[in-house]
Amino acid sequence: MTPKIEAFLKDAEKDSPFLVVDLDVVEDRYKRLNSAFSEGHIYYAMKANPAKPILERLNQLGSRFDAASLGEIMQCLETGVDPKRISFGNTLKKKKDIKAAYDLGVDLFAFDSEDELDKIAEAAPGSRVYCRILVNRHGAGASWPLSRKFGCSSAMAHELLMQAKAKGLVPFGVSFHVGSQQLDPAHWAKAISDVATLFDALGEGGIQLQMINIGGGFPARYQEDIPSLEEFVDYIKEHMTASFGEKWPEIYMEPGRYIVAEAGVLQSEVVCVSIKDFAEEIRWVYLDVGKFGGLAETIDESIVYQMVTEYDDQEMGPVIVAGPTCDSCDTLYERTYFQLPLALKTGDKINILSTGAYTTMYASQGFNGFEPPKEYFI
Amino acid sequence: MTPKIEAFLKDAEKDSPFLVVDLDVVEDRYKRLNSAFSEGHIYYAMKANPAKPILERLNQLGSRFDAASLGEIMQCLETGVDPKRISFGNTLKKKKDIKAAYDLGVDLFAFDSEDELDKIAEAAPGSRVYCRILVNRHGAGASWPLSRKFGCSSAMAHELLMQAKAKGLVPFGVSFHVGSQQLDPAHWAKAISDVATLFDALGEGGIQLQMINIGGGFPARYQEDIPSLEEFVDYIKEHMTASFGEKWPEIYMEPGRYIVAEAGVLQSEVVCVSIKDFAEEIRWVYLDVGKFGGLAETIDESIVYQMVTEYDDQEMGPVIVAGPTCDSCDTLYERTYFQLPLALKTGDKINILSTGAYTTMYASQGFNGFEPPKEYFI
């Protein structure tokens, strides 16, 4: 928790749940990645948190933007982002949305299928396209895997990038995604090598690709320590050289979680502490925010957040942590061995760390009559 | 699909995704349950769909309401519901929300822990309370289980209902929930018997409970045929007599899905149809609505919706069905053997049946820049 956030929480007597984001942390993470990987271009994956103050700060710093929908593109443009700095990165787009984006000046589109390529060729003629390939299809090493749904085989990518040229598009590059919150850098090495092979094969056919998009995946710190960003970057650069030699293509990257997760703290209140029977020792701790209030990444207990209370120097005990809705599925940690102070009681505040990314935008519009958490940007 | 919905879909050239709800179906289901189970009182579980036109219609019909939050209570009151016909049925409530509800005239509260009981005693003195017991804790028979998070043991319920009296509250009854979309009526029998035992034991201690709340759980029709409502009701009545003899306590029930699910059709559009490699036969069909646009009950592929297209008389083939967001988790059916017509292509409409309950309110407020589906009530 940054001093700025601490001061905000101390001053503020605000109804929970709410998210507070320290924009200086966003700036710090952007600069740190930009400095460590100055050869690359950062396309902020705005789905992680598309709030206007974040987009504004990143736009001032020179970031580019990875948008998942026409809606996100509009959010960028309203912030003053140059459409030439936006990548329409979702491989799933309605044709009318492709056309609208194209008419607004966007000229870079992702695809991973013939169907998508045809839509882009018709709705955004002459645009640059990049093909997403399927890597690490079982999501190994990633806490929030993101592999099977997107991307095609390298053989298909080869064919489709040739088709792209024939259809009047610019076959610009290849992308992949190793899985979000990826803790094992080795997954980048394999993917980079696959992309280099594809570059060579297409080069022989007269198609010179210009860009490799290494996706997102750089982790944020939750409960466990993680390797430093610099370790990931050094490792990736090493493998770029191993695969491409000294002359690299343009490198695009799409960090989201890394840029904003650690900038945010979600404040929650304990609604109830209970046991199910006098003979049971494990307590249930119910918070006023759960899976449908923004903590969707607790599905399958994938992301295990760090929760801070005022009693953390006191005796701890095992708990099951759940959200406030009348839905059994809204249980956060049941298999994960989670501990909270024995002194914790109804009405106490709990600060959930590293919640700047992939939280508030997941929140349901009002399931069980609960509004999404408010957001403050400081 | 009702003729009214068919006509609406034929007339309407509306941007998908959207939900259309036939209020006459809502009325029909309410009346059917009210007639089959005239001994009971219906508390509509408004979390299933709290849209104002539904609340209005049900209020006109004489329904009572099960609210999960102060927000839902406010929605009821704005519709003109008498606060004495509202049950604050969530066992997880902030003390200030209990007080606000009490001040608004609500006098019936659920609890399942000492902590909750204390809050109610302080914030809503003299109110009627009912204790939720834990039954069917592994959710057997239910497609959307709802058992472990809520309720306490019968032994604890006994103790807490005695405490309730000592704390100046009215120990009014006992509730349970057999799991939503419950296909096996036997789960009610066991629970009713447990409740009767508790009634007897408390009666011996001088506490005469007045109400059994048999929860929700009555199923809606999705892909599979289900037993008729009347079968469930007859079975439950038989077991009420077996457990309570001829003199039954008041019976409350909390249907949600049964009342509204079959009244709704969610119209979606195919965004993309693809394969991952030339050698693969299974197609991926991507829709413009997915887990974060309202189809949250496809988590773990729990609810398998029926999807209707214009080609349903033509040759079918296996598909993986996924939503439109850049999130791998937003895959609807991958393990479930799902078939859609081979002729299905990008831009085609798909009507998803029985989507009146537990859909739109789950929708995220804008993940990936996608707005929640619009809703139409006819």
Side-chain angles (χ1 to χ4, degrees), chain A residues 134 137-138 145 147-150, chain B residues 276 280 282-286 291 298-304 307 318-323 327-339:
Chain A
L134 187 53
R137 58 189 296 156
H138 299 295
S147 36
R148 228 179 116 43
K149 180 176 170 186
F150 300 102
Chain B
K276 297 286 167 193
E280 281 190 21
I282 195 153
R283 293 164 300 154
W284 283 71
V285 172
Y286 300 93
K291 272 208 173 68
T298 58
I299 290 176
D300 294 331
E301 311 196 10
S302 299
I303 297 289
V304 181
M307 300 194 184
V319 292
I320 296 171
V321 186
D327 198 319
S328 220
C329 157
D330 185 16
T331 299
L332 307 181
Y333 304 116
E334 191 165 1
R335 297 191 318 267
T336 303
Y337 183 72
F338 210 95
Q339 290 211 315

Side-chain angles (χ1 to χ4, degrees), chain A residues 15-16 47 68-69 71-72 75 90 92-94 96 112-113 115-116 119 134 137 144-153 155-156 159 269 271-278 280 284 286 288 292 299-300 320 322-331 334 346 358 360-370 372, chain B residues 15-16 47 68-69 71-72 75 90 92-94 96 112-113 115-116 119 134 137 144-153 155-156 159 269 271-278 280 284 286 288 292 299-300 320 322-331 334 346 358 360-370 372:
Chain A
D15 279 346
S16 70
K47 57 185 160 289
S69 65
E72 287 196 346
Q75 288 171 283
N90 193 339
L92 306 167
K93 301 176 286 295
K94 289 186 181 176
K96 72 180 166 81
D112 66 0
S113 68
D115 191 356
E116 195 70 18
K119 285 186 279 179
L134 187 53
R137 58 189 296 156
W144 191 250
L146 193 107
S147 36
R148 228 179 116 43
K149 180 176 170 186
F150 300 102
C152 61
S153 69
M156 184 174 264
E159 163 67 21
E269 183 183 310
V271 178
C272 193
V273 179
S274 72
I275 50 174
K276 296 288 167 192
D277 185 67
F278 297 115
E280 282 190 19
W284 283 70
Y286 300 93
D288 65 359
F292 304 109
I299 291 177
D300 294 331
I320 296 171
T325 65
C326 288
D327 198 319
S328 221
C329 156
D330 185 17
T331 299
E334 191 165 1
T346 294
Y358 298 111
T360 41
M361 285 318 288
Y362 272 121
S364 84
Q365 60 173 328
F367 187 54
N368 271 224
F370 294 115
Chain B
D15 278 347
S16 70
K47 58 186 158 288
S69 65
E72 287 197 344
Q75 287 171 282
N90 194 339
L92 307 167
K93 300 176 286 297
K94 289 187 181 177
K96 71 180 166 83
D112 67 359
S113 67
D115 191 355
E116 194 71 17
K119 284 185 279 178
L134 186 55
R137 58 189 298 156
W144 190 250
L146 192 107
S147 38
R148 229 179 115 43
K149 179 176 171 186
F150 300 102
C152 62
S153 69
M156 183 173 265
E159 163 68 20
E269 182 184 311
V271 179
C272 192
V273 179
S274 72
I275 48 172
K276 297 286 167 193
D277 187 66
F278 296 114
E280 281 190 21
W284 283 71
Y286 300 93
D288 64 0
F292 304 109
I299 290 176
D300 294 331
I320 296 171
T325 63
C326 288
D327 198 319
S328 220
C329 157
D330 185 16
T331 299
E334 191 165 1
T346 294
Y358 297 112
T360 42
M361 286 318 288
Y362 273 121
S364 83
Q365 60 173 328
F367 186 55
N368 270 223
F370 295 114

